Amino acid sequence: QLVLTQSPSASASLGASVKLTCTLSSGHSSYAIAWHQQQPEKGPRYLMNLSSDGSHSKGDGIPDRFSGSSSGAERYLTISSLQSEDEADYYCQTWDTDIRVFGGGTKLTVL
Amino acid sequence: EVQLVESGGGLVQPGRSLRLSCTTSGFTFGDYAMSWVRQAPGKGLEWVGFIRSKDYGGTTEYAASVKGRFTISRDDSKSIAYLQMNSLKTEDTAVYYCSRGFSGYEDYWGQGTLVTVSS
């Protein structure tokens, strides 16, 4: 079964960097994912798609501070030079022919 | 500029029906799959279903939680996607988002419309 696992919460200081993790279920380590950001009281926003080899393509207007990387079944979202507006929920998403799957989301707090 | 605007949400009694619309602009609607994703109060994102473009048969796929009750359709001439929701349950209460599908993932989202199922 295709499942994505995310830690419920993370925190980092203003101006620092943070790395969020999304883990693919067993047997699905080659799957690409997408990262989405949801700021409080807003709809989601697409950040990037991320392949198993770490190559990624960002959405329109996404700052260079956001980057992605991969290792095995893990997919990472790194946010550098954290700003207050980065405080949000972050969701990873993957897909197969007839299904879309979201991770449970990580709530990022900027201290 | 790509825009997606959901409408049609509101308060509905259990067992009744509701149809949501997703009106789009800024891209060639017929070239893309369209998805619906919902978010229950205080919860994460849950995929509801999607409809493929006509080039890929215009067929639909649904999450197990809504299969047989919800139907997604599209009108390419109007650039609108629909979500017909029948036999609504209290657990269907959520903000419903439409999104544009691109190679399996969602690359643009609407602002959402709230559906409350309650007696």
Side-chain angles (χ1 to χ4, degrees):
Chain A
Q1 187 181 3
L2 184 54
V3 175
L4 295 172
T5 302
Q6 299 181 252
S7 296
S9 63
S11 62
S13 299
L14 200 64
S17 294
V18 68
K19 190 175 187 179
L20 307 182
T21 303
C22 173
T23 304
L24 286 149
S25 48
S26 177
H28 300 101
S29 61
S30 66
Y31 281 48
I33 70 156
W35 283 104
H36 305 278
Q37 176 195 61
Q38 187 177 32
Q39 294 173 321
E41 307 307 317
K42 290 190 174 182
R45 180 190 186 190
Y46 166 68
L47 295 176
M48 69 181 71
N49 66 83
L50 175 60
S51 298
S52 58
D53 63 1
S55 59
H56 56 279
S57 174
K58 289 190 279 190
D60 294 340
I62 304 303
D64 291 342
R65 305 186 294 105
F66 291 81
S67 63
S69 58
S70 297
S71 177
E74 299 198 321
R75 307 287 180 264
Y76 306 106
L77 173 67
T78 299
I79 312 171
S80 58
S81 302
L82 273 168
Q83 302 181 4
S84 57
E85 60 262 35
D86 298 331
E87 186 159 290
D89 294 325
Y90 291 85
Y91 293 92
C92 54
Q93 178 201 5
T94 193
W95 58 92
D96 212 326
T97 309
D98 57 355
I99 192 173
R100 306 290 183 257
V101 176
F102 287 93
T106 296
K107 184 177 184 62
L108 174 63
T109 300
V110 178
L111 303 172
Chain B
E1 179 190 8
V2 173
Q3 290 192 322
L4 297 84
V5 178
E6 302 91 339
S7 60
L11 175 63
V12 61
Q13 293 179 327
R16 304 298 292 264
S17 299
L18 200 64
R19 188 178 81 158
L20 306 182
S21 299
C22 173
T23 303
T24 74
S25 61
F27 64 101
T28 304
F29 180 80
D31 288 348
Y32 292 86
M34 295 299 297
S35 299
W36 288 92
V37 176
R38 68 185 180 182
Q39 187 170 35
K43 302 296 185 182
L45 301 176
E46 179 189 12
W47 171 68
V48 171
F50 69 88
I51 184 166
R52 296 178 177 87
S53 67
K54 291 291 197 298
D55 283 350
Y56 288 87
T59 51
T60 52
E61 305 290 349
Y62 300 96
S65 57
V66 306
K67 198 168 187 177
R69 299 188 300 123
F70 289 12
T71 302
I72 298 173
S73 59
R74 62 190 299 154
D75 185 335
D76 289 357
S77 68
K78 296 181 178 178
S79 300
I80 300 176
Y82 300 99
L83 177 64
Q84 176 68 42
M85 303 184 292
N86 298 333
S87 303
L88 281 161
K89 306 175 182 180
T90 54
E91 52 263 42
D92 294 319
T93 293
V95 175
Y96 284 75
Y97 297 99
C98 71
S99 56
R100 190 179 83 167
F102 183 80
S103 296
Y105 58 89
E106 321 311 311
D107 67 348
Y108 285 94
W109 296 79
Q111 86 291 346
T113 187
L114 175 63
V115 173
T116 302
V117 184
S118 174
S119 54

